[in-house]
Amino acid sequence: MATFRTVLFYAFAPVADPAAVRLWQRELAGRWNLTGRVIVAPHGINATLGGRVEDLKQYVKGTRQYPGFERLDVKWAAGTGEDFPRLSVKVRPELVAFGAPDAVRLGPDGIEGGGTRLDADGLDALVAERGGDVVMLDGRNAYEASIGRFRGAFVPDVTTSRDFLGEIEAGRWDHLKDRAVVTYCTGGVRCEVLSVLLKDRGFAEVYQMDGGIVRYVEARGASGLWDGSLYVFDGRGHVEAAGARSLGTCERCGASTARFENCADAGCRTERLVCEGCAAVTAGERCPTCVVERPTGWVAREGVGVR
């Protein structure tokens, strides 16, 4: 019986011809029947893929042959074989769409000018020593943080990565500039770039969670500084350490849940927290914003029965 897994990784390294690397990656992932998403940019690669464990190993082995990708930190997780609907390999100007491609400066060991890296031991020691002087800054979108986050974290009110730069440059985080700021995200790539953006804009003491939440939870489970569920961009939707309880609540009944449901409007990207018990009632409903903005002339999401 086949064993399925998912992999998550990124690498900052010069890519002289992103279009050619895209074609190579599409052929390599397709050869091993993988599905998921790969982003190639002039400064590296970012990927989340699923498939049979032996096929993923062959793919990772092949990807590591590219100069600069040999040091990939690959994060493995359980999979179902149906975690992604298809394979998507695209070229983008940035690995993370902060809208600041020039902020990524590459050196021999990857991105330069970022925050000091902390593993689980380093983070716990910093918090134990400095206490309330440490700010855990969530580098994800606000809806991801709604089901899980580091204890006492500062969660920006953003819906996309592109919103972060506007928040910083508007001075909304200036009260954090003289504190120890630790950026974190799912697997490490967003918080790594975010730490550069902060340092470039005058934040004095910046750290980054090395390997992201994934590596911290691997090391600490439900016993560390992380609370709740981890949002993931595949068919699982979210994962938890044994014994953890989601911080999310159903928008209809208030029950604890980490289950997100798409708005029924195909043109909307809103995800709403709805528990299993309320799912039959809310399925096919549009979010309040869509109802106001597009009362007519909208298109139902495929496979959704709309009321």
Side-chain angles (χ1 to χ4, degrees):
M1 185 174 178
T3 300
F4 296 97
R5 293 285 187 271
T6 63
V7 293
L8 171 67
F9 66 81
Y10 70 94
F12 285 103
V15 176
D17 190 342
V21 171
R22 172 190 173 274
L23 293 174
W24 163 61
Q25 277 288 298
R26 173 169 285 282
E27 189 280 330
L28 182 63
R31 183 194 315 166
W32 298 109
N33 301 307
L34 306 182
T35 56
R37 296 181 292 271
V38 181
I39 296 174
V40 181
H43 52 255
I45 188 171
N46 185 18
T48 308
L49 294 163
R52 298 192 312 166
V53 64
E54 57 267 34
D55 294 335
L56 285 165
K57 286 181 178 179
Q58 291 297 327
Y59 164 80
V60 169
K61 180 180 178 181
T63 298
R64 281 180 167 148
Q65 294 176 6
Y66 189 87
F69 294 175
E70 62 273 2
R71 56 179 177 271
L72 289 177
D73 176 21
V74 180
K75 304 164 185 72
W76 292 81
T80 66
E82 299 180 352
D83 299 293
F84 303 95
R86 64 189 66 86
L87 175 64
S88 171
V89 185
K90 296 182 178 180
V91 172
R92 292 283 187 261
E94 302 175 273
L95 293 188
V96 183
F98 282 115
D102 293 339
V104 177
R105 303 177 293 275
L106 298 178
D109 299 318
I111 195 169
E112 294 187 330
T116 302
R117 295 176 183 273
L118 295 174
D119 60 11
D121 289 341
L123 175 61
D124 289 353
L126 181 68
V127 172
E129 178 186 354
R130 305 275 293 277
D133 187 43
V134 178
V135 179
M136 300 298 299
L137 198 162
D138 202 310
R140 304 170 300 159
N141 302 323
Y143 69 87
E144 297 175 66
S146 68
I147 63 172
R149 51 195 175 270
F150 277 100
R151 204 163 301 145
F154 175 76
V155 180
D157 184 17
V158 299
T159 56
T160 70
S161 295
R162 194 170 294 274
D163 297 334
F164 276 87
L165 202 53
E167 291 286 299
I168 300 170
E169 295 187 340
R172 297 190 181 98
W173 304 356
D174 282 358
H175 61 290
L176 306 178
K177 280 191 171 181
D178 294 325
R179 297 173 65 183
V181 177
V182 182
T183 63
Y184 71 88
C185 58
T186 305
V189 63
R190 286 182 282 181
C191 49
E192 184 157 359
V193 179
L194 181 57
S195 74
V196 175
L197 297 178
L198 292 175
K199 291 189 69 176
D200 284 351
R201 286 157 180 80
F203 286 73
E205 186 179 0
V206 180
Y207 303 86
Q208 59 178 290
M209 189 69 238
D210 196 17
I213 302 161
V214 171
R215 285 288 185 242
Y216 186 87
V217 174
E218 283 178 354
R220 293 291 182 268
S223 64
L225 301 172
W226 172 261
D227 292 326
S229 305
L230 172 60
Y231 184 100
V232 292
F233 293 89
D234 59 51
R236 296 171 297 167
H238 59 89
V239 294
E240 295 90 11
R245 178 181 173 86
S246 175
L247 301 184
T249 56
C250 175
E251 67 175 44
R252 186 171 184 272
C253 72
S256 175
T257 186
R259 180 188 181 277
F260 280 97
E261 179 178 273
N262 289 320
C263 171
D265 191 331
C268 179
R269 299 180 62 184
T270 298
E271 294 190 80
R272 302 178 296 167
L273 275 168
V274 180
C275 71
E276 291 286 352
C278 293
V281 178
T282 60
E285 291 183 349
R286 295 193 297 153
C287 68
T289 301
C290 284
V291 171
V292 172
E293 293 183 352
R294 291 186 295 279
T296 61
W298 57 278
V299 178
R301 190 178 301 277
E302 184 178 354
V304 173
V306 179
R307 294 193 304 278

